[in-house]
Amino acid sequence: MEYNKVTAETIEELRRIFGERNVLTEVEKIEPYSHDESGTQFKHMPEVVVKAENEDQIAQLMKLANREHIPVTPRGAGSGLAASAVPLHGGIVLAMEKMNRILEIDEVNMVAVCEPAVVTNDLCRAVADKGLFYAGYPMSVEESYIASNVVTNAGGSKVVKYGSTRSHVLGLECISPTGEKLVLGGKRRKETSGYSLLQLMIGSEGTLGIVTKVIVNLMPAPGVTVDLLVPFANFDDAVKASSNIIRTTKVYPVTMEFMDGFSVRETTEYFNLPSLPAQDKAEAYLLFTFEGKNQEELDELAEKAGTACLDMGALDVFVASTKTESEKVWKVRTSMPDCVTTKYRHMLAGDVVVPRSEVAEFIAKTQDVMKKYTGLKLTFFGHIGDGNIHPNFLDTLGEYTDEEWLKVAEQAYGEVCMLGSQLGGTVSGEHGIGLGKKTVLRQTLGEYPISLMKGIKKVFDPNSILNPDKIFDLEQ
Ligand SMILES: Cc1cc2nc3c(=O)[nH]c(=O)nc-3n(C[C@H](O)[C@H](O)[C@H](O)COP(=O)(O)OP(=O)(O)OC[C@H]3O[C@@H](n4cnc5c(N)ncnc54)[C@H](O)[C@@H]3O)c2cc1C
């Protein structure tokens, strides 16, 4: 698809809509909007960045962009790992960062109403102050925005018990790609009123509309929690234990995370963090959080799970009994993605999800397939309780050029995705498809589902203006 360039007249019009201070054109100011956390290999410079302060400006922008045939890419905090906020065809980046107010915490309906750029953990903290709980919790919770969590259907560490972001969204307000206002869902809790455009918008990666307001479900805050860190001398034992623990204990954790020994060592060294217990012997860890109504119930859950882990070959079970101990352990887990994205120039954060019963086989087959790729290190950490174990491909030797890396990473990831798909999985559990996984999505889904998605895109966005060529290529 060919697009028109942003002209001096367009910039003038953008300044009229957004105000002088909200239109950026200088290279050093727009460069940070050219990539996300997936790395610079997918970098594309925008021609101009605009910062929206209200939905009217966004509606006017979309009308202008359609008239001038200029692409628009919405952008949240830029923490995405699929390059879905990268302005592939240049054009206009629509930065949401200024629309960042929590508009309402409605304790009667148990919902929060937010502007799009509320940082997710700010919301979690604000509702916690009222004894409430928002269950969405990606590991990027301190930086990513609530609307982006919605359009990426973000997962995170609490999915095993509470589900992905989709499970918590009750309503959205959006501006359509053609500049119309859409109100989807609301504070109500049920709806069977035609096709659910609300559900379609969730996970649409900024291709079907621009979210200007989000209504999320809140719950009463859980009583008490405890974290268990369980080291295993052997990678396979940890993976097998993870598949069996819920079945054998009938205990549902809030969190069941996996960390391989390499990732733990890299992260503690790179960020100079205190070592985890048994770090010299452990090749893998499971990290659990349990919630209970009171301490007695919690102790019972921890005892049951700890004993089951020991029966399945764990080296030991460490109970983080204080907030400081918990934070120390979680700091290592939450810093892992930052370690791989900042330490290595080339990395690909894989995101395959398989049924929990297939995780062990998926990992074993993946390790097997990877043997033929020289200079490419494979590490694993992630949300093993959801079967969403992130295989991370790292150029540890730094020997690949950008071009070579893209080729080899795409090929290796393609193979891993096919393996996942054959085991009943899918190519992305939470990061989305964006730019890097388009080919493998088509290969694993087949042409017909992609053709339906293209048809939907065409209905919402007849001129292909909003975030074009993400998820699938429009003209392929
Ligand atoms: C350290 C780290 C840890 C992470 N951990 C997790 C994790 O546990 N789980 C998980 O799911 N992801 C995780 N991610 C990925 C990322 O944080 C999520 O995808 C997150 O939802 C992106 O939010 P963002 O605000 O940074 O959005 P961006 O990266 O800026 O954009 C993401 C997508 O949202 C679109 N978008 C942004 N705002 C709007 C809007 N208002 N309307 C429509 N479209 C919009 C963009 O066009 C793009 O398609 C992690 C990333 C990092 C760097």
Side-chain angles (χ1 to χ4, degrees):
M1 176 81 60
E2 289 293 313
Y3 291 95
N4 292 329
K5 291 281 168 208
V6 173
T7 62
E9 290 72 35
T10 314
I11 300 278
E12 267 320 296
E13 205 171 337
L14 291 173
R15 288 191 174 126
R16 269 197 300 279
I17 297 172
F18 291 94
E20 183 95 27
R21 67 186 183 289
N22 288 328
V23 179
L24 312 181
T25 51
E26 300 91 331
V27 172
E28 64 282 6
K29 289 194 180 151
I30 63 176
E31 193 281 338
Y33 298 87
S34 65
H35 58 86
D36 64 5
E37 290 291 331
S38 62
T40 50
Q41 70 247 29
F42 294 114
K43 179 173 174 160
H44 287 271
M45 283 295 278
E47 291 160 70
V48 55
V49 174
V50 295
K51 297 186 184 185
E53 290 179 328
N54 59 59
E55 63 177 20
D56 283 350
Q57 293 171 336
I58 299 172
Q60 287 183 61
L61 169 70
M62 294 319 296
K63 294 210 159 109
L64 176 157
N66 274 274
R67 193 189 70 217
E68 300 297 332
H69 201 62
I70 296 170
V72 173
T73 309
R75 177 166 180 113
S79 73
L81 292 170
S84 52
V86 168
L88 179 61
H89 298 285
I92 303 166
V93 162
L94 169 61
M96 305 305 295
E97 61 208 45
K98 289 196 164 179
M99 293 177 68
N100 61 1
R101 289 171 305 156
I102 298 174
L103 298 173
E104 188 186 0
I105 297 173
D106 174 344
E107 293 178 69
V108 176
N109 288 304
M110 296 279 276
V111 300
V113 184
C114 300
E115 287 190 326
V118 169
V119 172
T120 308
N121 220 15
D122 289 349
L123 173 65
C124 294
R125 281 189 280 257
V127 303
D129 287 345
K130 294 182 182 293
L132 299 173
F133 173 62
Y134 171 63
Y137 207 82
M139 299 282 101
S140 54
V141 70
E142 290 285 5
E143 55 182 322
S144 64
Y145 298 163
I146 189 74
S148 328
N149 287 179
V150 172
V151 300
T152 57
N153 187 24
S157 62
K158 295 182 180 169
V159 173
V160 61
K161 180 162 181 186
Y162 291 110
S164 306
T165 301
R166 185 184 297 282
S167 316
H168 318 304
V169 181
L170 295 175
L172 294 176
E173 289 187 10
C174 307
I175 298 298
S176 80
T178 50
E180 308 303 321
K181 181 162 175 173
L182 268 172
V183 179
L184 309 173
K187 289 185 178 179
R188 57 187 178 267
R189 289 182 173 270
K190 299 171 86 171
E191 179 145 353
T192 314
S193 308
Y195 299 151
S196 176
L197 300 180
L198 174 69
Q199 294 301 325
L200 195 53
M201 201 59 72
I202 300 169
S204 62
E205 299 187 44
T207 63
L208 296 182
I210 298 137
V211 176
T212 53
K213 202 181 274 183
V214 182
I215 304 176
V216 290
N217 177 44
L218 304 176
M219 289 176 240
V224 277
T225 62
V226 68
D227 294 321
L228 254 61
L229 181 72
V230 187
F232 289 80
N234 176 317
F235 193 101
D236 292 344
D237 284 351
V239 175
K240 284 186 186 128
S242 77
S243 306
N244 285 321
I245 197 116
I246 297 173
R247 182 174 59 84
T248 52
T249 61
K250 305 283 186 289
V251 172
Y252 233 123
V254 184
T255 292
M256 195 203 307
E257 297 284 303
F258 179 85
M259 305 181 277
D260 70 11
F262 176 85
S263 304
V264 170
R265 287 189 291 275
E266 284 268 287
T267 307
T268 49
E269 276 162 31
Y270 188 64
F271 290 118
N272 205 13
L273 299 172
S275 298
L276 289 185
Q279 194 167 309
D280 52 334
K281 317 190 262 282
E283 269 318 307
Y285 288 86
L286 294 180
L287 172 58
F288 298 89
T289 303
F290 292 99
E291 278 172 3
K293 285 197 271 311
N294 50 43
Q295 195 58 45
E296 205 182 354
E297 187 188 31
L298 207 55
D299 289 346
E300 203 180 303
L301 292 176
E303 173 71 27
K304 228 173 174 182
T307 308
C309 284
L310 290 171
D311 289 348
M312 289 179 215
L315 286 173
D316 209 337
V317 175
F318 296 91
V319 180
S321 47
T322 63
K323 195 164 174 261
T324 317
E325 279 176 14
S326 258
E327 281 171 1
K328 197 174 114 185
V329 172
W330 273 102
K331 183 73 188 156
V332 177
R333 170 62 191 95
T334 54
S335 303
M336 265 172 196
D338 272 343
C339 174
V340 288
T341 51
T342 52
K343 180 166 178 183
Y344 298 104
R345 182 170 140 75
H346 296 129
M347 71 96 207
L348 190 147
D351 187 27
V352 177
V353 59
V354 295
R356 205 183 291 136
S357 55
E358 307 303 320
V359 172
E361 190 170 349
F362 171 67
I363 290 184
K365 285 190 165 160
T366 300
Q367 285 169 324
D368 223 30
V369 162
M370 282 304 113
K371 282 181 191 148
K372 67 171 179 276
Y373 292 94
T374 50
L376 195 154
K377 171 87 184 160
L378 180 66
T379 70
F380 292 95
F381 55 81
H383 321 298
I384 203 164
D386 329 321
N388 190 199
I389 178 90
H390 298 309
N392 291 289
F393 304 86
L394 308 177
D395 177 13
T396 40
L397 304 177
E399 284 177 352
Y400 289 105
T401 63
D402 282 0
E403 214 171 62
E404 286 165 349
W405 172 254
L406 270 180
K407 219 165 135 200
V408 76
E410 188 174 359
Q411 193 189 336
Y413 194 55
E415 286 203 57
V416 170
C417 288
M418 289 315 281
L419 282 177
S421 174
Q422 283 154 11
L423 293 169
T426 186
V427 300
S428 175
E430 54 180 27
H431 298 159
I433 303 303
L435 276 183
K437 298 175 207 156
K438 290 190 281 191
T439 309
V440 79
L441 181 75
R442 206 176 62 243
Q443 284 165 351
T444 51
L445 277 190
E447 293 298 334
Y448 183 56
I450 297 287
S451 74
L452 292 180
M453 289 191 208
K454 282 189 195 173
I456 290 167
K457 170 75 175 160
K458 190 90 192 152
V459 171
F460 275 77
D461 188 7
N463 300 318
S464 306
I465 293 299
L466 189 64
N467 212 1
D469 291 320
K470 302 291 169 57
I471 308 177
F472 43 78
D473 289 313
L474 291 164
E475 287 179 345
Q476 199 168 34

